[in-house]
Amino acid sequence: MTAENRRVSYFYDAEVGNYHYGQGHPMKPHRVRMTHNLVVNYGLYRKMEVFRPRLVSPTAMTRFHSDDYINFLKVITPDNMGDYVRQLQRFNVGEDCPVFDGLFEFCQLYTSGSIGGAARLNDNAVDIVINWAGGLHHAKKAEASGFCYVNDCVLAILELLKKHERVLYIDIDIHHGDGVEEAFYSTNRVMTCSFHKFGEYFPGTGDVHDVGHADGKNYSINFPLNDGMDDKSYKSIFRPVIGKIMEMFAPGAIVLQCGADSLSGDRLGCFNLSVKGHADCVRYVRSFGIPMLVLGGGGYTLRNVPRCWTYETAVLTGEEVKDELPFNDYFEYFGPDYRLNLPVSNMENLNSPEYLEKTKNQLLEILSDVEPVPSVQIQTGQVESQLNPRGMNLEVDGPTEDERKEHSSELVG
Ligand SMILES: [Zn+2]
């Protein structure tokens, strides 16, 4: 399989666009529908295999989340909130993470795309899976956070670990990928790498010195950044750090969270990336030819997110797309220029070349301490060696052969 010719699978369910977090809330899953509409109108849809896995069961979500948290998400509605005052507080649901009609179905949908996508990669049915509705990286084991309820990134990684010895998680959302980092903080089977705004900014974690714990030491990589990151500076750090990770960690599969709130002009963000600059990360990760699950994430300027994710869909399918937008259902949103690329601003980049160089070198130093992967894979043939990694603090239930078959048959072409 050449780098130019990859089998790409794409998850879309029209229902995803139907859920809203409430009046005036910046997180609109509607972005996913707008993206889909552009993808269709550019003809990119025809370059991919579309899949819609059966909805995951609540039990599948408890591979990471606690039973009582998932049960709560199942029953809570805007009408019965008064009966769940204590739980709302305990699970951090209600304010930043509002209750809305269809909340649980919404979680099931985007999570199904990510777990189902990981299962498709495991089956070697495709090389790349895209789920723009996924990437809700802040959710914790028993707590919602930052508009995230169920952590589909963690659940997808757990699925990939059934087959792959090592999985790499990369996060280019402007916010720290804290939920994913925390889940895998003490295992050496998952390396997490997050590039994010740091300092008086949500969620507050992701210091360069937070490198993992116990067997997971040096397997959490954090690049804290200041306002104004532009294309050139981002590329100057992203490529060397990811290149070094590929060399040292040699992952069997990659989950790439493509939060678009790192774009210039984002309503909640403070970086200055163009669509092309953001997509350069996708292009670079794709170039390694490793099975990839590509997820969405943040992105709060409605007209920019679909531009970014559509362009990245083109990059992943290896297609060229013209800058002039095709006519689409949301055409008026893209005025006055109606172009795919967006202009960046003249904001100051508060990341000096010296700071970037110094932090990059700190991370390369940490990565040079990672135990090199043996060039010849040692296969013991014992199921336990695959499913109970050193230091894994999660219960990874291994699939029985029947479960695997059942799961595969849930997937429709
Ligand atoms: Zn974000």
Side-chain angles (χ1 to χ4, degrees):
M1 197 63 54
T2 66
E4 289 67 41
N5 183 17
R6 293 280 163 65
R7 297 168 300 165
V8 182
S9 227
Y10 170 88
F11 170 79
Y12 180 71
D13 189 309
E15 284 292 308
V16 162
N18 289 341
Y19 299 106
H20 291 272
Y21 286 61
Q23 214 57 39
H25 199 276
M27 179 74 160
K28 291 179 182 148
H30 194 56
R31 312 164 303 162
V32 177
R33 183 179 280 176
M34 288 173 73
T35 303
H36 177 71
N37 201 263
L38 264 186
V39 163
V40 168
N41 282 293
Y42 263 117
L44 293 168
Y45 203 60
R46 292 193 300 270
K47 308 292 175 186
M48 304 181 283
E49 169 212 65
V50 180
F51 80 107
R52 275 181 54 196
R54 202 174 74 191
L55 287 181
V56 295
S57 66
T59 315
M61 296 175 177
T62 62
R63 271 186 201 152
F64 172 54
H65 295 286
S66 70
D67 292 5
D68 53 354
Y69 175 56
I70 294 299
N71 285 333
F72 164 79
L73 290 180
K74 256 162 62 185
V75 299
I76 193 74
T77 69
D79 296 332
N80 68 12
M81 284 172 73
D83 304 333
Y84 291 91
V85 176
R86 273 189 51 229
Q87 284 97 323
L88 283 163
Q89 200 164 32
R90 181 166 133 226
F91 297 128
N92 190 36
V93 173
E95 289 179 14
D96 260 5
C97 308
V99 176
F100 55 91
D101 280 317
L103 166 63
F104 191 69
E105 288 74 19
F106 168 68
C107 293
Q108 266 186 308
L109 266 183
Y110 72 75
T111 301
S112 301
S114 300
I115 299 183
R120 286 198 66 60
L121 291 173
N122 283 353
D123 290 344
N124 200 22
V126 284
D127 306 300
I128 296 171
V129 174
I130 302 171
N131 175 19
W132 295 127
L136 283 77
H137 59 167
H138 295 306
K140 307 287 166 51
K141 185 182 165 107
E143 201 181 302
S145 173
F147 326 136
C148 304
Y149 304 85
V150 169
N151 198 318
D152 61 300
C153 315
V154 169
L155 291 165
I157 292 169
L158 290 173
E159 186 69 26
L160 291 168
L161 286 173
K162 290 177 180 175
K163 176 170 177 196
H164 297 282
E165 206 54 51
R166 291 174 307 283
V167 176
L168 171 63
Y169 173 77
I170 304 171
D171 192 316
I172 59 170
D173 192 284
I174 196 168
H175 300 101
H176 178 227
D178 59 341
V180 188
E181 178 183 277
E182 187 179 299
F184 300 109
Y185 205 59
S186 51
T187 178
N188 56 10
R189 281 190 64 194
V190 178
M191 183 173 279
T192 59
C193 180
S194 178
F195 299 82
H196 48 267
K197 154 80 180 169
F198 184 73
E200 291 176 34
Y201 200 71
F202 182 86
T205 47
D207 190 280
V208 69
H209 300 294
D210 298 337
V211 297
H213 174 70
D215 281 330
K217 186 166 182 257
N218 302 330
Y219 290 82
S220 292
I221 301 298
N222 284 301
F223 206 125
L225 295 161
N226 301 307
D227 292 20
M229 274 302 282
D230 56 27
D231 291 354
K232 192 163 161 264
S233 2
Y234 210 94
K235 191 172 179 174
S236 79
I237 57 165
F238 186 85
R239 289 189 170 227
V241 171
I242 297 300
K244 183 76 176 173
I245 290 177
M246 295 298 182
E247 178 197 330
M248 299 301 291
F249 185 62
I254 300 171
V255 175
L256 175 58
Q257 198 270 18
C258 294
D261 43 12
S262 39
L263 287 176
S264 182
D266 188 79
R267 209 169 124 183
L268 299 186
C270 52
F271 284 177
N272 199 18
L273 294 180
S274 73
V275 164
K276 284 214 165 104
H278 196 273
D280 187 69
C281 302
V282 177
R283 192 185 299 280
Y284 184 62
V285 175
R286 181 188 186 269
S287 72
F288 290 90
I290 294 167
M292 252 174 111
L293 175 64
V294 181
L295 306 174
Y300 306 98
T301 296
L302 197 54
R303 62 187 180 278
N304 290 346
V305 182
R307 289 174 150 119
C308 180
W309 290 345
T310 299
Y311 184 70
E312 289 174 351
T313 304
V315 167
L316 289 164
T317 51
E319 294 293 312
E320 298 283 336
V321 282
K322 56 180 181 12
D323 191 29
E324 193 185 317
L325 290 173
F327 190 71
N328 63 84
D329 293 355
Y330 304 93
F331 203 57
E332 69 276 15
Y333 282 82
F334 301 108
D337 55 326
Y338 307 101
R339 296 193 173 274
L340 187 63
N341 286 290
L342 55 106
V344 294
S345 81
N346 61 358
M347 77 186 290
E348 194 186 348
N349 184 355
L350 299 180
N351 302 275
S352 67
E354 295 74 29
Y355 169 75
L356 294 173
E357 181 73 11
K358 183 181 137 233
T359 312
K360 180 191 82 181
N361 288 334
Q362 270 175 290
L363 293 180
L364 295 181
E365 187 81 9
I366 291 164
L367 286 166
S368 64
D369 286 341
V370 166
E371 191 184 330
V373 172
S375 55
V376 179
Q377 192 76 36
I378 299 162
Q379 268 296 1
T380 63
Q382 291 168 352
V383 175
E384 289 77 11
S385 68
Q386 294 256 332
L387 301 173
N388 295 319
R390 281 188 289 149
M392 180 70 93
N393 60 355
L394 293 161
E395 288 169 33
V396 185
D397 295 327
T400 62
E401 198 48 40
D402 283 349
E403 275 173 349
R404 265 203 76 75
K405 283 191 191 125
E406 189 200 323
H407 199 85
S408 306
S409 66
E410 287 169 20
L411 304 161
V412 290

